[in-house]
Amino acid sequence: MAAHLSSGRVNLTALREAGRRELREFLDKCAGSKAIVWDEYLTGPFGLIAQYSLLKEHEVEKMFTLKPGRLPQADVKNVIFFVRPRLELMDIIADNVLREDRGRSPQRDFHILFVPRRSLLCEQWLKEQGVLGSFIHREQYSLDLIPFDGDLLSMEAESAFKECYLESDQTSLYHAAKGLMTLQALYGTIPQIFGKGECARHVANMMIRMKREFPGSQNSIFPVFDTLLLLDRNVDLLTPLATQLTYEGLIDEIYGIQNTYVKLPPEKFAPKKQGEGGKDLPTEPKKLQLNSAEELYAEIRDKNFNAVGSVLSKKAKIISAAFEERHHAKTVGEIKQFVSQLPHMQAARSSLANHTSIAELIKDITTSEDFFDNLTVEQEFMSGIDTDKVNNYIEDCIAQKHPLIKILRLVCLQSVCNSGLKQKVLDYYKREILQTYGYEHLLTLNNLEKAGLLKSQTSGRNNYPTIRKTLRLWMDDVNEQNPNDISYVYSGYAPLSVRLAQLLARPGWRSIEEVLKMLPGPHFEERQQVPTGLQKKRQHGENRVTLVFFLGGVTYAEIAALRFLSQMEDGGTEYVIATTKLINGTSWIKSLMEKLEPAPF
Amino acid sequence: MSRARADEEEYWHSSKFRAFTFDDEEDELSQLKESKRAVNSLRDIVDDDDDDDLERVSWSGEPVGSISWSIKETASSSTGSLDGRDSGLQRGSSSCAALPKQASSYSLSSLFKGRNKLPSFQSLSDALSDTGVKNYTPELRRPKAEYKDYSNDWSPRDTVRRMQRGKVCSLERFRSLQDKLVLLDEAVAGHDGNVITALTHLCISLSPVEILFRELEVRQVALCHLIHFLKEAGEQKFLLDLLRFLDRTEEVALSQYREHLNIQDVEKRREFLKGCIGLPFSAEDTSHIQDHYTLLERQIIIEANDRHLESSGQSEIFRKYPRKASILNMPLVTTLFYSCFYHYTEAEGTFSSPSNLKKTFKIPDKQYVLTALAARAKLRAWDDVDALFTTKNWLGYTKKKAPIGFHRVVEILQRNNAPVQVLQEYVRLVEDVETRLNLATKYKCHDVVIETYRDLKDRIQLMAYKCKVERGSADEEKINSILNNVVRNAH
């Protein structure tokens, strides 16, 4: 089930195994048959750790989603709530417990498992509702870093960016540090830590402190990672705003990938048997899992979308030819061999059919006029053209009432590419937005300003051109088919964050001191002692392994760019990526928007 | 300046600038189609076999046995048929986001008012050392060793560390505010937000507000955590007191303004917004808040009036086009559209007239014309559309002008299914020849196409266009006559 986790340079199955072990231990504490009541948000991330079969082995007989009212009548000894420590969820739990039929026999025992951390406040809350005493076990399950793929870990903390940069609540950074400690316990101490940004500094400090305070964490494991690079999202606010142009990036932009699953419109995925087709077309969205366990997906996910079509058609020819082989199979041996290959060919065929359909869906959108116009404006901004005046296209989009998030993405992009907008331009946009979408969005605009995504150019200096040139963020001659630079992931724009990682590996940050000073927050280097016996003696030609941790979120295009660097022949470094949350421009801006009550009708 | 002009020119002409284009579009799309065909044709060969070797997947794509799949499965097989039946529906509504906030009975405000009201709050420690658990089965009893945890001798640092690890510990020892602040400082140093928030919370309940605020002011981290928590918990009053104490006036203003979202009653909401005008916003924001208030005030008047008109059945426009929703709380531009739709001819003096809205809210010309055009086109009031773009000069000559460009006018009209006669009038006004030809061809405004080719003296195109018009139609005749004319002139 989890073969894809061990395919990379670092075997992340160990992390998953640790998670499963902890889960089993908890379940066994509650002896007897069980029902789990799920905070629905957690089912996705948990699914990456364990399937239902594991729970079943430990006597989990029923599962429900958490909702107010009376709990379903399940004949089990234990009822366990799996929840995030949030006050509004505590209210529901209290409601459930209070409505439990006292007369029923035998009575059911209640337990709570907090993910990822027990919350004192939540327990206090439950106490005030008079139900705290009903829980026998109140424990925590430290699901900090969840393995998503062989080289990818995420905390799936939705609001981490907002909490860190808007509310200055650094709880999620504490969890990040905890996650890194767990990682070090499994994969050895990471000897070198680099970082850029306030939050990065903070996490590094916490790690060092935790190590000092828990001497037990000294381990004797040979270090797998050579370097840890901590990057604040607010060092590079630009990248997530731009439309990702890799295959996986576009799937995420258009349909949204949740915990490696995507839901697609069913029309293109016709029912399997042709004879049955037509009479009842599926109406439920088609749900697919996307990870490197699927050979074809692993090959195309990180390509620029323009390079995907040709791969798919090549694959189609190969598979057709393979099936043709059956006509040439004459002897029993040959036929046997052909048949033995069938399952693999069949899997390849269905995978190819799926991705051809997805590519068609995406192509419908990327060839639309509006997609093209939007992209043209984005690319103008990123290459530094006309960033200091009101943009016609944005104005038109507002007049036509395009989705607000799209407008905000573009305006923020312009602001970031101009180190802030001229006051007059900013005021104009704000006015247009408020008049068209409603004055209450003033709150959202304020949030964006507070996060630095939208601002007026106060210093009167636009640093972006210098940063762009020094870091070569805009490449005119981009090769989408056979890329030679990371800029292919945005068809011209090289993500700033990944450029920083690239330059750190070679020739080192000393070469870009000036630019680093222009970007927010400190940059630093720390070393962690590794016992001499465990120090690495590098084989000649062996690549270094760097863990890049994006605090505040990372996009699929950035991941693709890092994978591209890993695969460069003379790169010398392989990357593993960790983040607080996998994001795209839309989900990111959404997390910063003020939650408005639904209209009263 | 960012770029020299020459640079710009070069940029536009060199077309080095790569947008996201498909070079050989036709080719690629057909490639995709072909791949798909090829792949589909293989089904017959393969699908006779069962999918034994593949992971079993339900139609929704969820592997059978995944957690979310199993929730549905086990829920629907549970005894209460109710749960099974509505699980699909309920699942959506059960997510925490959908829960109405007001439904919860947060009792926190009572906690914040002072110590006398909450004799029980010392019990955060109770929560932590809670042993009075019912149904305590023997095998679940804590191991002996853990009882040592009930020691009262933990130092502040150890206490905080134990809290961080989610272990049981007693806080009873830390009675005074000073004691608690020591704990809080330890927690801040440990960076664990969970503990920081909990301890800040504990401090609140036990000290006069002013003293606490002063202590928190020098503890910025704890302060931020507290503010975040107050926002999450909806503890508005306490939050505002705190922000005021800290002199964060703009935040006070925004935070207060946010509250209007929770007021459903429009009259109350309007009153509330009126109160917001005087709050210490930035100058720019103040004018927006003022506008917000004025808009709602207008909407209330318009709504009362129109509801009456509509229900009495006296007004033709409301009979013909019943309103889909109330205009209350709609954005300004939507309100303008509404007003252009139902109240277009009213004099500027009435609140519901478009010109009054335009003036009151200083709506720019462009925005106004766009909205009015869309509204009148929807009603197919072509005369009004015409009037929108007609200006008279001092000699009395009329002239057509559009602040948004006539190509946009054409687009909007087309979207509203304007007849060709109307459409071509505006296509004709598009200045750029190429755009005009494109639009005219696209929307079959034959007259315009023919005239344009005539003016361009483009015989070949004109001849080619002949096959696009109906045989024997006036258009064909027109083309013929032009062609003949030109021939005659040539002689």
Side-chain angles (χ1 to χ4, degrees):
Chain A
M1 270 315 307
H4 60 287
L5 296 180
S6 53
S7 58
R9 177 71 187 273
V10 177
N11 187 351
L12 294 178
T13 319
L15 182 63
R16 185 171 181 269
E17 244 344 288
R20 290 164 74 90
R21 198 182 321 120
E22 209 183 317
L23 187 59
R24 280 194 210 104
E25 277 168 17
F26 172 75
L27 289 173
D28 289 342
K29 270 189 190 170
C30 315
S33 58
K34 305 165 187 66
I36 295 179
V37 182
W38 287 94
D39 167 356
E40 204 174 5
Y41 183 85
L42 290 175
T43 56
F46 258 86
L48 298 168
I49 298 289
Q51 300 289 5
Y52 180 52
S53 56
L54 179 140
L55 303 176
K56 212 168 173 181
E57 279 164 25
H58 295 264
E59 293 179 90
V60 175
E61 289 173 4
K62 303 276 183 215
M63 304 214 284
F64 310 106
T65 36
L66 183 63
K67 58 187 170 209
R70 187 187 277 248
L71 284 170
Q73 294 290 324
D75 230 356
V76 288
K77 184 157 186 315
N78 303 282
V79 175
I80 313 175
F81 294 92
F82 278 33
V83 287
R84 289 166 296 163
R86 300 187 129 192
L87 296 179
E88 68 268 22
L89 300 180
M90 296 308 114
D91 283 344
I92 305 178
I93 294 181
D95 188 46
N96 284 171
V97 172
L98 288 171
R99 283 172 194 248
E100 175 78 350
D101 183 5
R102 297 285 143 193
R104 66 174 289 145
S105 73
Q107 283 211 354
R108 302 192 282 194
D109 291 346
F110 292 111
H111 317 272
I112 294 190
L113 187 64
F114 287 107
V115 185
R117 208 71 70 202
R118 230 175 120 173
S119 154
L120 303 164
L121 209 59
C122 286
E123 296 187 3
Q124 178 62 25
W125 205 270
L126 290 173
K127 187 173 172 60
E128 268 159 42
Q129 314 267 349
V131 295
L132 189 73
S134 313
F135 297 99
I136 295 177
H137 285 290
R138 301 189 303 266
E139 307 231 344
Q140 63 185 20
Y141 182 65
S142 319
L143 190 66
D144 289 318
L145 284 167
I146 308 156
F148 270 61
D149 217 319
D151 58 355
L152 181 60
L153 302 157
S154 172
M155 292 164 58
E156 283 309 282
E158 264 184 311
S159 47
F161 182 85
K162 184 180 182 192
E163 282 168 15
C164 289
Y165 299 99
L166 219 55
E167 319 277 5
S168 309
D169 181 328
Q170 292 158 341
T171 309
S172 55
L173 298 182
Y174 179 79
H175 292 167
K178 278 270 185 196
L180 282 165
M181 296 313 282
T182 309
L183 220 52
Q184 291 188 95
L186 289 167
Y187 300 101
T189 303
I190 306 175
Q192 248 185 334
I193 304 176
F194 290 93
K196 169 74 188 165
E198 290 291 346
C199 293
R201 180 69 265 182
H202 208 72
V203 170
N205 287 349
M206 277 190 267
M207 286 172 68
I208 292 161
R209 185 188 157 111
M210 284 174 186
K211 197 170 164 74
R212 204 173 50 228
E213 285 181 358
F214 303 101
S217 65
Q218 277 295 352
N219 60 41
S220 51
I221 295 168
F222 204 81
V224 175
F225 296 103
D226 299 280
T227 308
L228 166 65
L229 170 59
L230 294 158
L231 281 177
D232 273 34
R233 186 70 270 175
N234 85 334
V235 170
D236 172 14
L237 293 171
L238 196 167
T239 303
L241 292 169
T243 305
Q244 308 171 65
L245 297 178
T246 56
Y247 182 53
E248 187 166 47
L250 276 167
I251 296 178
D252 188 42
E253 294 276 348
I254 298 168
Y255 298 106
I257 302 174
Q258 302 284 351
N259 302 300
T260 73
Y261 283 93
V262 68
K263 282 185 186 164
L264 299 159
E267 299 80 33
K268 294 256 180 187
F269 302 88
K272 275 194 129 192
K273 299 250 157 70
Q274 252 132 12
E276 295 164 14
K279 67 180 174 206
D280 48 1
L281 273 172
T283 46
E284 240 185 274
K286 170 93 172 162
K287 202 170 169 187
L288 283 176
Q289 187 169 27
L290 300 173
N291 62 33
S292 60
E294 190 183 348
E295 205 179 305
L296 174 63
Y297 188 63
E299 186 180 337
I300 56 176
R301 69 196 307 186
D302 299 319
K303 287 190 185 302
N304 186 297
F305 184 62
N306 278 343
V308 168
S310 58
V311 177
L312 290 179
S313 67
K314 240 177 261 159
K315 292 277 164 187
K317 278 177 201 141
I318 293 171
I319 289 194
S320 299
F323 275 101
E324 281 309 306
E325 285 289 312
R326 73 185 188 281
H327 299 304
H328 307 300
K330 296 267 159 37
T331 68
V332 176
E334 280 168 351
I335 292 170
K336 223 174 171 179
Q337 208 202 338
F338 178 80
V339 170
S340 72
Q341 285 169 350
L342 257 181
H344 179 251
M345 283 160 66
Q346 184 184 347
R349 184 205 57 85
S350 89
S351 158
L352 185 57
N354 281 339
H355 289 290
T356 314
S357 299
I358 299 175
E360 277 183 335
L361 285 169
I362 292 178
K363 199 162 176 119
D364 285 346
I365 288 165
T366 55
T367 47
S368 72
E369 203 176 318
D370 193 59
F371 186 88
F372 179 83
D373 291 346
N374 184 70
L375 198 67
T376 310
V377 172
E378 282 183 10
Q379 299 206 333
E380 277 176 21
F381 288 160
M382 291 190 289
S383 52
I385 294 161
D386 284 346
T387 49
D388 57 352
K389 50 184 165 202
V390 172
N391 181 280
N392 275 334
Y393 175 72
I394 298 181
E395 218 183 348
D396 280 359
C397 288
I398 296 175
Q400 292 170 43
K401 227 173 167 184
H402 284 210
L404 177 59
I405 291 188
K406 172 184 172 176
I407 310 291
L408 295 176
R409 264 179 93 159
L410 283 169
V411 174
C412 290
L413 183 69
Q414 183 175 358
S415 171
V416 173
C417 291
N418 200 51
S419 306
L421 297 166
K422 282 185 182 162
Q423 190 65 47
K424 245 176 68 189
V425 177
L426 179 61
D427 288 347
Y428 180 82
Y429 281 139
K430 277 173 85 169
R431 193 169 195 88
E432 288 274 299
I433 289 170
L434 296 177
Q435 290 190 340
T436 308
Y437 297 92
Y439 289 104
E440 59 276 17
H441 293 290
L442 188 70
L443 297 164
T444 293
L445 294 178
N446 263 286
N447 286 350
L448 295 175
E449 285 189 63
K450 225 170 146 187
L453 277 161
L454 198 59
K455 59 181 181 183
S456 69
Q457 208 182 69
T458 40
S459 64
R461 240 187 89 86
N462 179 3
N463 282 332
Y464 179 69
T466 318
I467 297 170
R468 187 185 74 233
K469 279 173 205 145
T470 315
L471 299 181
R472 294 181 302 120
L473 297 186
W474 185 259
M475 305 297 276
D476 273 324
D477 45 352
V478 57
N479 185 340
E480 290 163 348
Q481 305 291 332
N482 297 301
N484 49 14
D485 181 72
I486 57 170
S487 55
Y488 85 92
V489 297
Y490 287 96
S491 290
Y493 166 74
L496 193 159
S497 56
V498 182
R499 211 44 125 203
L500 289 181
Q502 187 184 12
L503 289 166
L504 176 68
R506 197 180 291 168
W509 275 357
R510 216 159 295 157
S511 61
I512 50 164
E513 283 280 337
E514 285 306 306
V515 166
L516 282 174
K517 277 183 200 145
M518 287 177 187
L519 298 169
H523 56 283
F524 60 87
E525 179 183 353
E526 297 282 350
R527 278 176 191 279
Q528 299 199 93
Q529 280 300 314
V530 177
T532 28
L534 295 176
Q535 274 163 20
K536 226 177 200 175
K537 289 169 201 75
R538 199 176 311 283
Q539 307 281 318
H540 180 70
E542 193 193 24
N543 284 339
R544 302 172 57 82
V545 181
T546 296
L547 175 65
V548 188
F549 202 131
F550 289 84
L551 301 163
V554 70
T555 64
Y556 287 99
E558 285 169 301
I559 295 168
L562 282 169
R563 286 188 184 138
F564 172 78
L565 293 178
S566 291
Q567 282 155 15
M568 287 228 300
E569 259 172 40
D570 52 350
T573 307
E574 281 179 62
Y575 295 94
V576 175
I577 301 125
T579 184
T580 50
K581 175 89 178 85
L582 290 160
I583 58 166
N584 59 48
T586 301
S587 65
W588 190 40
I589 295 281
K590 212 178 206 164
S591 77
L592 290 168
M593 286 174 81
E594 199 67 35
K595 279 170 200 68
L596 304 174
E597 297 289 311
F601 46 82
Chain B
M1 281 316 296
S2 54
R3 243 174 202 256
R5 195 162 189 89
D7 268 7
E8 255 172 67
E9 294 281 306
E10 192 223 8
Y11 154 73
W12 284 113
H13 296 300
S14 66
S15 79
K16 246 198 293 181
F17 190 68
R18 297 177 61 101
F20 195 56
T21 52
F22 289 85
D23 295 337
D24 44 355
E25 201 165 300
E26 278 302 300
D27 236 319
E28 256 215 64
L29 200 61
S30 58
Q31 264 183 1
L32 271 182
K33 291 238 164 71
E34 196 187 312
S35 314
K36 197 169 187 187
R37 252 199 314 277
V39 168
N40 284 342
S41 70
L42 298 177
R43 284 197 174 130
D44 309 333
I45 314 171
V46 179
D47 281 346
D48 306 331
D49 309 36
D50 286 325
D51 293 321
D52 279 344
D53 293 313
L54 293 175
E55 188 184 8
R56 286 185 30 156
V57 170
S58 66
W59 161 249
S60 66
E62 199 103 47
V64 171
S66 80
I67 286 178
S68 44
W69 178 83
S70 313
I71 288 179
K72 282 177 234 159
E73 281 303 292
T74 59
S76 59
S77 65
S78 77
T79 46
S81 61
L82 222 154
D83 305 301
R85 185 152 33 84
D86 63 6
S87 70
L89 260 175
Q90 289 280 8
R91 277 163 57 83
S93 63
S94 68
S95 77
C96 50
L99 274 175
K101 255 243 148 73
Q102 52 268 45
S104 74
S105 53
Y106 293 159
S107 58
L108 225 81
S109 35
S110 65
L111 298 180
F112 290 129
K113 286 189 185 114
R115 79 182 76 183
N116 47 353
K117 277 205 171 175
L118 34 110
S120 74
F121 201 80
Q122 180 71 39
S123 58
L124 177 56
S125 50
D126 295 353
L128 295 165
S129 57
D130 189 5
T131 46
V133 175
K134 69 171 180 64
N135 277 345
Y136 216 70
T137 47
E139 72 270 22
L140 285 174
R141 229 173 256 287
R142 292 192 178 94
K144 262 265 152 41
E146 255 188 60
Y147 281 108
K148 273 196 245 148
D149 292 347
Y150 291 90
S151 152
N152 267 343
D153 303 336
W154 300 108
S155 70
R157 166 171 282 205
D158 290 335
T159 306
V160 166
R161 245 177 252 170
R162 293 185 63 77
M163 287 172 79
Q164 280 179 6
R165 269 172 277 173
K167 288 215 177 143
V168 179
C169 58
S170 163
L171 300 178
E172 257 151 58
R173 225 156 63 67
F174 305 98
R175 277 186 196 281
S176 73
L177 178 63
Q178 280 317 313
D179 286 346
K180 291 183 168 57
L181 287 172
V182 172
L183 275 185
L184 183 58
D185 288 338
E186 274 301 329
V188 168
H191 297 296
D192 183 348
N194 169 28
V195 180
I196 297 171
T197 308
L199 285 172
T200 317
H201 194 209
L202 181 67
C203 293
I204 289 173
S205 59
L206 291 159
S207 49
V209 165
E210 300 75 38
I211 298 176
L212 175 77
F213 285 177
R214 223 164 294 144
E215 292 291 347
L216 283 177
E217 206 175 357
V218 294
R219 292 171 171 82
Q220 280 296 320
V221 175
L223 188 64
C224 289
H225 281 252
L226 177 61
I227 291 174
H228 182 208
F229 163 72
L230 292 172
K231 278 187 195 161
E232 291 281 296
E235 281 302 325
Q236 188 69 6
K237 192 182 166 307
F238 193 88
L239 177 65
L240 289 177
D241 285 346
L242 178 58
L243 292 174
R244 270 192 213 107
F245 176 86
L246 297 168
D247 232 11
R248 298 198 191 167
T249 52
E250 219 179 313
E251 257 177 88
V252 174
L254 283 168
S255 185
Q256 209 154 340
Y257 170 68
R258 178 181 295 114
E259 237 176 301
H260 85 266
L261 294 166
N262 300 322
I263 305 173
Q264 296 301 321
D265 182 89
V266 276
E267 287 292 341
K268 281 186 192 147
R269 189 183 261 212
R270 188 193 51 154
E271 274 313 300
F272 186 86
L273 285 172
K274 193 176 185 181
C276 288
I277 296 172
L279 295 173
F281 289 103
S282 68
E284 188 65 25
D285 287 355
T286 302
S287 84
H288 294 314
I289 304 292
Q290 168 81 53
D291 282 352
H292 191 175
Y293 162 72
T294 315
L295 180 64
L296 186 58
E297 193 184 32
R298 290 295 167 83
Q299 287 172 337
I300 291 173
I301 297 171
I302 298 172
E303 176 67 22
N305 207 14
D306 289 2
R307 194 182 303 145
H308 175 73
L309 269 177
E310 188 174 35
S311 60
S312 70
Q314 286 165 356
S315 160
E316 199 196 322
I317 177 106
F318 286 109
R319 263 204 318 272
K320 240 171 124 182
Y321 304 97
R323 303 185 310 157
K324 290 200 189 80
S326 120
I327 194 61
L328 296 171
N329 296 315
M330 291 293 173
L332 175 61
V333 171
T334 313
T335 312
L336 178 65
F337 180 89
Y338 176 95
S339 148
C340 288
F341 196 89
Y342 291 109
H343 303 280
Y344 195 59
T345 50
E346 280 168 26
E348 198 183 308
T350 54
F351 279 155
S352 48
S353 78
S355 41
N356 190 308
L357 285 174
K358 179 173 190 252
K359 208 168 154 196
T360 310
F361 296 98
K362 300 190 192 72
I363 298 171
D365 250 5
K366 239 177 168 175
Q367 184 69 272
Y368 178 80
V369 169
L370 272 172
T371 314
L373 173 62
R376 299 322 286 172
K378 194 157 195 121
L379 284 169
R380 313 181 76 74
W382 309 123
D383 289 346
D384 292 339
V385 171
D386 186 61
L388 260 180
F389 305 109
T390 311
T391 49
K392 262 193 185 135
N393 72 3
W394 57 279
L395 280 173
Y397 292 119
T398 58
K399 207 182 156 217
K400 297 279 187 196
K401 246 174 82 180
I404 49 172
F406 279 105
H407 63 285
R408 291 284 301 282
V409 175
V410 172
E411 269 168 39
I412 293 168
L413 287 174
Q414 201 275 330
R415 231 178 291 148
N416 285 289
N417 302 320
V420 176
Q421 295 88 323
V422 175
L423 214 52
Q424 72 180 12
E425 218 175 296
Y426 297 94
V427 175
R428 195 172 277 135
L429 291 166
V430 174
E431 269 188 34
D432 181 64
V433 178
E434 205 171 315
T435 321
R436 192 193 318 151
L437 267 174
N438 277 338
L439 286 171
T441 318
K442 196 159 142 200
Y443 300 133
K444 300 201 167 56
C445 303
H446 301 313
D447 257 0
V448 184
V449 179
I450 297 165
E451 283 161 27
T452 308
Y453 283 138
R454 182 195 61 198
D455 295 346
L456 290 172
K457 300 196 190 329
D458 194 336
R459 272 183 72 86
I460 300 166
Q461 288 289 355
L462 202 52
M463 261 152 68
Y465 198 73
K466 228 167 95 170
C467 64
K468 298 234 175 88
V469 301
E470 235 174 279
R471 282 210 143 193
S473 68
D475 295 316
E476 194 188 34
E477 219 164 279
K478 195 170 173 183
I479 294 178
N480 286 335
S481 95
I482 294 169
L483 288 173
N484 290 338
N485 236 332
V486 177
V487 173
R488 222 175 299 138
N489 284 349
H491 277 290

